[in-house]
């Protein structure tokens, strides 16, 4: 990988527009989409009509997309293979622009010492590479970006005005210094000191309003928010994990019973995004070699008719939760789902019960209706915004909740008509759970009692959201979510996949929403990566051993290394995310957050099996 390069997946997750990245000599912020170098040969258009239509509708509703524009999905720019070609890339402005000199003066104060380092601006550095600061006496010092910046809950980001913070409205041009005492990074041991004698402890900088009001700065867009701001700025550690939470929308591509022409048009839908008539099809054939090679033998009217049909289907699906469409395909019961073809977006088989039920294993599988081996699937993910300080609430039905505006997601462009996206291929297992069995279980007195405890915990947890919280996903969701985590841990041991490479999609969907009676229950455990791990076949092969995997997963949950503390945990009255947990901890159910769709919320192994606490709310015997 070349210097200062990022993977495509990182640009729609960890290091998307608005995120800060440490480089060897400075820190930068990834610029918005308008500042990405996107010549036609540097990116590919991704066709996923369901995802495109849903995101287009949402962005228009939020005023982030022109009502007359059509949205498209593109990969981030890819560096060319030729070493002599000018590489495409992403602009990354310098941020923050305050630096601390590495050359330190050691001062003796009483019985202790203080390390004193000069605080300087980007424009103060040596113009040749801007890597060093030259003192008045000729000494040269390397510099590092200051660790602290200021941000607000709307996602705005700006340098701290250290002179104003130290002096207030009084003007002073004396040099600023960072003074540190002790051996820890405790804010109380760090101060910003001016040459005039004024100083500020970083511990005081955490006080509300101490850094002043937000000016709506958006350095990733090189502008200020036209709507203004005025909220209190908060101190933000530049490298902390709460500086950037991407808002990513993900769907699993679905097959359709189509003829060859519809399939070809579907594959080229990204190239035909701006086609609005049969005449436009003729123009696309003339100037796009890919379209001409694939569709040249078909008439323009036929091609446009198929394109309109695909768009109509996507618009109809846009009003539904993406998980509902996915569940209906996986749980159809068809022996074959999709096509067994190298270019197919989805190919799966509903396994006969004799292929995965082992009578020699003592586990009750009566509540599992079907097991589907997903030989090939395509996952498309698109970045549409981000938040700071706290991640956006996650909806259990896979949709973007209206409540997401309460966490004030920030835009990644000023109004671009495209979003960055990636597609990944992999495999998986879909477990269809009997909805009637789940509903009968929900009505038992012990489960009703346990649900009341989980609801009280949810009530405490939701108070952390000032503008409202996500709906309670339902006790059925907590059951399936806990089962999914248990199976993922066991499958990782059985199949050889790294646990962090596995992902989940939980289908506990109700018509009424807000945790109502589920009418669709299932779990998709899958892996999808750009590399070889997505196609090793380990997950599909695990289907024949599913009974043993399920039994081992449940047995492993009976005793946790943190018992009895874990098994006795009650969500009532707890603070933070622990209020959404029953018996769940890092020793039993919690997994890597990159693998969990709900950020490790709403888990309880006492809903699966009987723990040391002897709750009678277990679904499995």
């Amino acid at each position: 990988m070349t210097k200062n390069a990022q993977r495509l997946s990182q640009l729609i997750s960890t290091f998307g527009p608005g995120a800060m990245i440490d480089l060897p000599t400075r820190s930068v912020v990834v610029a918005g989409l308008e500042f990405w170098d996107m010549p036609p040969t540097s990116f590919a258009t991704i066709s996923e009509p369901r995802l495109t239509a849903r995101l287009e509708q949402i962005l228009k509703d939020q005023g982030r997309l022109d009502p007359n524009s059509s949205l498209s999905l593109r990969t981030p720019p890819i560096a060319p293979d030729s070493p002599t070609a000018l590489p495409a890339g992403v602009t990354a402005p310098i941020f923050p622009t305050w630096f601390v000199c590495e050359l330190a003066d050691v001062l003796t104060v009483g019985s202790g010492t203080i390390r004193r380092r000069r605080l300087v601006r980007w424009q103060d550095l040596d113009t040749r590479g801007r890597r060093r600061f030259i003192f008045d006496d000729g000494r040269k010092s390397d510099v590092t970006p200051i660790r602290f910046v200021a941000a607000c809950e709307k996602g705005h980001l700006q340098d701290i005005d250290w002179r104003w913070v130290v002096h207030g409205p009084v003007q002073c041009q004396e040099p600023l210094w960072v003074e540190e005492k002790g051996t820890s990074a405790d804010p109380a041991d760090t101060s910003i000191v001016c040459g005039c004698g004024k100083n500020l402890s970083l511990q005081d900088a955490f006080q509300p309003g101490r850094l002043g009001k937000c000016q709506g700065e958006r350095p990733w867009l090189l502008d200020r928010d036209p709507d203004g701001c005025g909220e209190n700025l908060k101190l933000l550690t530049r490298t902390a994990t709460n500086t950037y939470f991407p808002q990513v929308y993900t769907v699993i591509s679905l097959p359709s019973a189509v003829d060859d022409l519809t399939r070809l048009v579907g594959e080229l839908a990204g190239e035909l995004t701006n086609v609005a008539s049969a005449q436009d099809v003729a123009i696309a054939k003339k100037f796009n070699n890919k379209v001409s090679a694939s569709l040249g033998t078909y008439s323009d009217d036929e091609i446009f008719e198929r394109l309109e049909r695909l768009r109509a289907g996507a618009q109809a699906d846009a009003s539904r939760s993406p998980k509902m469409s996915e569940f209906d395909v996986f749980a159809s019961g068809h022996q074959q789902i999709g096509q067994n073809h190298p270019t197919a977006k989805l190919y799966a088989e509903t396994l006969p019960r004799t292929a995965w039920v082992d009578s020699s294993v003592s586990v009750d599988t009566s509540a599992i209706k079907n097991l589907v081996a997903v030989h090939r699937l395509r996952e498309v993910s698109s970045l549409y915004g981000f938040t700071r300080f706290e991640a956006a609430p996650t909806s259990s039905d896979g949709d973007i909740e209206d409540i997401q505006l309460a966490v004030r997601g920030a835009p990644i462009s000023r109004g671009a008509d495209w979003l960055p996206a990636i597609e990944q291929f992999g495999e998986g297992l879909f477990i269809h759970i009997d909805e009637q069995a789940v509903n009968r279980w929900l009505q038992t007195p012990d489960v009703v009692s346990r649900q009341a405890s989980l609801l009280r915990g949810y009530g405490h947890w939701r108070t952390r959201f000032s503008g409202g919280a996500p709906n309670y996903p339902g006790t059925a969701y907590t059951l399936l979510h806990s089962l999914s985590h248990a199976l993922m841990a066991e499958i990782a041991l059985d199949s050889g996949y790294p646990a962090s490479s596995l992902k989940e999609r939980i289908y506990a969907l109700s018509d009424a929403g807000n945790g109502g009676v589920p009418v669709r229950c299932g779990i998709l455990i899958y892996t999808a990566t750009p590399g070889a791990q997505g196609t090793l076949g380990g997950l599909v092969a695990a289907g024949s051993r599913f009974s043993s995997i399920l039994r081992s997963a449940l047995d492993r949950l009976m005793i946790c290394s943190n018992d009895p503390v874990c098994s006795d945990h009650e969500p009532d009255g707890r603070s933070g995310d622990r209020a959404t947990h029953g018996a769940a901890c890092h020793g039993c159910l919690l997994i890597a957050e990159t693998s969990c769709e709900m950020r490790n919320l709403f888990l309880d192994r006492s809903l699966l099996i009987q723990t040391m606490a002897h709750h009678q709310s277990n679904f499995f015997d």
Side-chain angles (χ1 to χ4, degrees):
M1 185 176 291
T2 60
K3 181 181 178 182
N4 299 342
Q6 299 292 338
R7 294 182 181 274
L8 296 184
S9 58
Q10 289 179 311
L11 279 175
I12 68 156
S13 55
T14 316
F15 300 122
M20 290 172 281
I21 301 178
D22 269 332
L23 299 181
T25 60
R26 66 202 67 175
S27 173
V28 297
V29 59
V30 179
L33 302 183
E34 288 86 357
F35 305 99
W36 289 24
D37 185 14
M38 299 287 281
T41 57
S42 70
F43 68 90
T45 303
I46 295 178
S47 172
E48 183 51 57
R50 284 195 309 134
L51 177 60
T52 305
R54 187 69 181 115
L55 285 172
E56 182 178 307
Q57 175 186 330
I58 290 166
L59 294 184
K60 286 181 177 179
D61 290 344
Q62 296 179 3
R64 296 186 186 179
L65 182 66
D66 189 317
N68 299 317
S69 297
S70 296
L71 187 70
S72 63
L73 304 180
R74 302 177 183 177
T75 63
I78 304 171
D81 294 331
S82 173
T84 59
L86 186 65
V90 173
T91 301
I94 302 296
F95 186 86
T97 59
W98 283 96
F99 292 78
V100 179
C101 292
E102 294 183 6
L103 186 63
D105 295 329
V106 180
L107 308 177
T108 301
V109 179
S111 59
T113 59
I114 294 178
R115 296 181 301 280
R116 193 184 194 204
R117 297 183 293 165
R118 182 73 177 269
L119 185 62
V120 296
R121 298 296 298 268
W122 170 254
Q123 57 264 32
D124 300 329
L125 303 182
D126 183 3
T127 55
R128 290 179 295 180
R130 294 187 185 271
R131 297 186 178 183
R132 294 183 175 182
F133 176 74
I134 303 176
F135 288 88
D136 293 339
D137 59 7
R139 290 181 302 163
K140 296 181 179 180
S141 173
D142 291 332
V143 295
T144 56
I146 194 166
R147 288 189 300 135
F148 302 101
V149 295
C152 78
E153 292 182 351
K154 290 184 178 180
H156 300 141
L157 184 69
Q158 66 183 65
D159 270 307
I160 297 173
D161 188 346
W162 292 108
R163 293 194 180 280
W164 181 88
V165 170
V166 172
H167 298 94
V170 178
Q171 297 292 322
C172 180
Q173 299 303 319
E174 291 294 320
L176 294 174
W177 304 80
V178 177
E179 290 189 354
E180 299 165 314
K181 58 183 179 180
T183 58
S184 71
D186 190 333
D189 292 336
T190 305
S191 299
I192 306 297
V193 179
C194 180
C196 70
K198 292 270 189 178
N199 67 83
L200 169 76
S201 169
L202 284 184
Q203 188 175 38
D204 296 334
F206 283 97
Q207 297 177 359
R210 187 64 180 82
L211 301 181
K213 298 294 183 179
C214 177
Q215 303 298 313
E217 296 283 352
R218 303 188 297 188
W220 68 97
L221 298 180
L222 303 181
D223 71 353
R224 285 189 176 183
D225 192 334
D227 296 329
C229 189
E231 292 201 359
N232 285 333
L233 287 169
K234 294 184 178 181
L235 192 69
L236 189 64
T237 303
R238 178 171 49 81
T239 54
T241 56
N242 67 342
T243 60
Y244 190 83
F245 294 100
Q247 292 177 297
V248 178
Y249 200 12
T250 299
V251 300
I252 303 296
S253 297
L254 301 180
S256 56
V258 296
D259 56 20
D260 289 340
L261 175 56
T262 305
R263 178 177 60 81
L264 290 172
V265 172
E267 292 174 0
L268 293 171
E271 307 289 336
L272 302 172
T273 299
N274 297 319
V275 169
S277 66
Q279 290 75 21
D280 290 344
V281 173
I283 296 173
K285 283 183 180 180
K286 182 177 180 180
F287 294 103
N288 190 313
N289 292 334
K290 190 184 296 185
V291 173
S292 176
S294 298
L295 303 176
T297 59
Y298 298 96
S299 74
D300 299 342
D301 289 329
E302 284 182 309
I303 295 170
F304 185 66
E305 186 272 332
R306 298 298 199 284
L307 184 61
E308 289 286 270
R309 189 188 304 174
L310 288 173
R311 288 172 175 172
Q315 293 294 340
D317 263 342
S319 61
R320 301 182 74 201
S321 157
K323 282 189 175 180
M324 286 189 178
S325 300
E326 294 166 15
F327 179 90
D328 290 344
V329 170
F330 286 124
S332 65
H334 296 157
Q335 182 180 356
Q336 287 197 353
I337 302 169
Q339 294 179 326
N340 186 9
H341 190 274
T343 63
K345 297 178 180 179
L346 180 68
Y347 173 61
E349 289 182 293
T350 302
L351 300 177
R353 202 167 186 84
T354 54
W356 58 273
V357 174
D358 187 347
S359 58
S360 65
V361 179
S362 59
V363 61
D364 183 10
T365 58
S366 60
I368 300 176
K369 296 180 70 172
N370 279 314
L371 185 69
V372 179
V374 185
H375 297 277
R376 179 179 175 85
L377 61 77
R378 175 183 183 246
E379 176 197 68
V380 180
S381 301
S382 177
L383 176 71
Y384 66 92
F386 67 89
T387 62
R388 302 197 195 277
F389 295 108
E390 189 168 14
T394 305
S395 169
S396 62
D397 65 1
D399 205 355
I400 300 174
E401 293 206 37
D402 293 336
I403 201 69
Q404 66 99 14
L405 293 178
V407 295
R408 301 170 186 179
I412 59 174
S413 74
R414 296 175 185 167
D417 61 356
W418 62 275
L419 291 175
I422 59 169
E423 59 178 353
Q424 302 184 104
F425 291 89
E427 57 167 329
L429 285 175
F430 175 77
I431 304 109
H432 184 187
I433 309 296
D434 188 344
E435 292 82 6
Q436 293 185 2
V438 172
N439 289 329
R440 288 194 299 269
W441 171 77
L442 286 171
Q443 294 170 15
T444 59
D446 292 306
V447 175
V448 170
S449 175
R450 187 62 175 171
Q451 177 173 266
S453 178
L454 292 170
L455 279 169
R456 287 192 293 270
Y458 164 76
H460 290 290
W461 175 74
R462 68 175 300 171
T463 58
R464 66 187 295 181
F465 297 94
S466 59
N471 291 330
Y472 178 61
T475 305
Y477 182 93
T478 305
L479 166 71
L480 298 183
H481 194 203
S482 303
L483 177 60
S484 174
H485 281 209
L487 289 173
M488 289 169 74
E490 195 63 32
I491 287 174
L493 296 174
D494 177 86
S495 67
Y497 277 112
S500 59
S501 72
L502 300 179
K503 303 179 184 179
E504 67 178 356
R505 283 177 84 80
I506 311 299
Y507 304 89
L509 308 173
S510 61
D511 290 335
N514 197 22
V517 176
V519 295
R520 294 173 174 85
C521 292
I523 300 168
L524 175 64
I525 297 174
Y526 69 102
T527 179
T529 66
Q533 287 185 16
T535 55
L536 292 177
L539 281 181
V540 171
S544 61
R545 303 186 298 277
F546 183 76
S547 295
S548 299
I549 291 172
L550 177 60
R551 181 71 271 168
S552 298
L554 296 176
D555 289 344
R556 200 178 296 275
L557 293 184
M558 289 183 180
I559 300 293
C560 171
S561 59
N562 290 320
D563 278 343
V565 175
C566 176
S567 59
D568 289 339
H569 173 77
E570 295 289 338
D572 311 40
R574 297 288 178 172
S575 61
D577 291 345
R578 287 291 287 161
T580 68
H581 292 162
C585 69
H586 286 285
C588 52
L589 280 184
L590 272 64
I591 61 174
E593 288 201 357
T594 53
S595 298
C596 177
E597 70 168 22
M598 189 62 82
R599 297 187 297 109
N600 277 327
L601 303 177
F602 302 105
L603 295 165
D604 186 2
R605 62 189 169 97
S606 68
L607 299 182
L608 294 173
I609 46 86
Q610 202 172 113
T611 64
M612 295 176 67
H614 299 294
H615 294 296
Q616 303 296 316
S617 55
N618 49 296
F619 185 76
F620 293 96
D621 295 327

